[in-house]
Amino acid sequence: SMKFLIVDAGDSYRNTISVELHRLGFKNIFQSTDATHALLVLEENKIDFIICERELPDISGFDFLKEVRESYEYPGMPFLMTGKSATRNDLVAMAEYEVDGYVAKPFTLRILSEKISQCIQHYRNPENIEYLLDQAKFSLTQGKHSEAIKQFEKLLEKSPNSSRIRVGLARCYRALNDIQTA
């Protein structure tokens, strides 16, 4: 019952991934040729998993990933990135935004299946920063400000240089009208 979103400018890869997902038993598959349209699909549907090409025509796959990760509207979103072999800068960006997996093109059904499984396990790992960040953001959206502050502070211990965690913490204090601390 998982809903997948495949974002890739190439018709052949997008369709191949869709066919492979159907073979794996997944029925709810959405496709997009660019990130702008993909964001509209996300707004209209409860997507559970994104498979996204690194090189997109409008914005990069990394910028799309940043948009998804920084949004409070898309919690619990495993993200598998595809593309040619990754550069050092790509690896740094993947680490910064917690890409759950990367698969180099071309790939086989077996590799795709393994990567999807690994991404789901990685994302649902209670030690994964993205999972914990989603939990903190959820507490904030539920109005549980002191709980969210504790969660964000704990995250800062794990990742002291993360601007996203600091922004979340500032949002908590702003919600409490503690502008000076925010």
Side-chain angles (χ1 to χ4, degrees):
S1 66
M2 287 183 71
K3 291 182 181 177
F4 282 80
L5 172 59
I6 304 165
V7 187
D8 196 309
D11 291 339
S12 61
Y13 266 107
R14 216 176 43 255
N15 292 330
T16 299
I17 293 170
S18 182
V19 167
E20 299 302 332
L21 288 171
H22 277 289
R23 285 186 190 165
L24 291 170
F26 298 108
K27 305 288 186 240
N28 302 310
I29 301 165
F30 298 84
Q31 295 186 25
S32 180
T33 58
D34 59 57
T36 303
H37 178 257
L39 288 170
L40 292 173
V41 172
L42 281 172
E43 287 176 15
E44 296 171 1
N45 303 279
K46 166 102 174 66
I47 300 296
D48 300 301
F49 197 110
I50 296 174
I51 300 174
C52 181
E53 163 64 38
R54 193 176 72 217
E55 301 296 326
L56 295 173
D58 53 350
I59 64 171
S60 75
F62 287 119
D63 288 334
F64 176 63
L65 171 63
K66 290 175 191 177
E67 187 76 27
V68 170
R69 292 290 195 232
E70 291 173 358
S71 173
Y72 285 84
E73 298 174 28
Y74 317 120
M77 186 74 63
F79 198 104
L80 175 63
M81 191 166 279
T82 66
K84 298 174 185 165
S85 60
T87 66
R88 176 177 274 204
N89 287 342
D90 294 336
L91 295 173
V92 169
M94 284 187 242
E96 168 79 19
Y97 282 91
E98 292 282 329
V99 171
D100 298 299
Y102 186 83
V103 62
K105 290 180 176 181
F107 48 83
T108 64
L109 170 61
R110 182 181 61 78
I111 291 172
L112 181 63
S113 175
E114 288 172 3
K115 287 294 184 176
I116 290 170
S117 178
Q118 288 171 3
C119 287
I120 292 171
Q121 289 175 0
H122 177 256
Y123 200 85
R124 303 255 160 83
N125 178 350
E127 295 302 312
N128 177 350
I129 294 224
E130 285 304 322
Y131 176 84
L132 296 171
L133 188 57
D134 276 347
Q135 297 299 315
K137 290 190 297 188
F138 181 75
S139 294
L140 177 59
T141 61
Q142 297 297 304
K144 300 175 183 175
H145 301 111
S146 59
E147 183 178 323
I149 288 170
K150 288 177 189 174
Q151 290 168 316
F152 281 118
E153 287 175 344
K154 188 174 181 181
L155 279 165
L156 270 178
E157 292 172 11
K158 291 181 175 221
S159 187
N161 297 324
S162 173
S163 59
R164 294 183 309 139
I165 295 169
R166 292 182 186 283
V167 166
L169 196 53
R171 286 179 176 157
C172 290
Y173 285 113
R174 241 187 18 228
L176 294 171
N177 291 321
D178 186 349
I179 304 304
Q180 177 134 356
T181 305

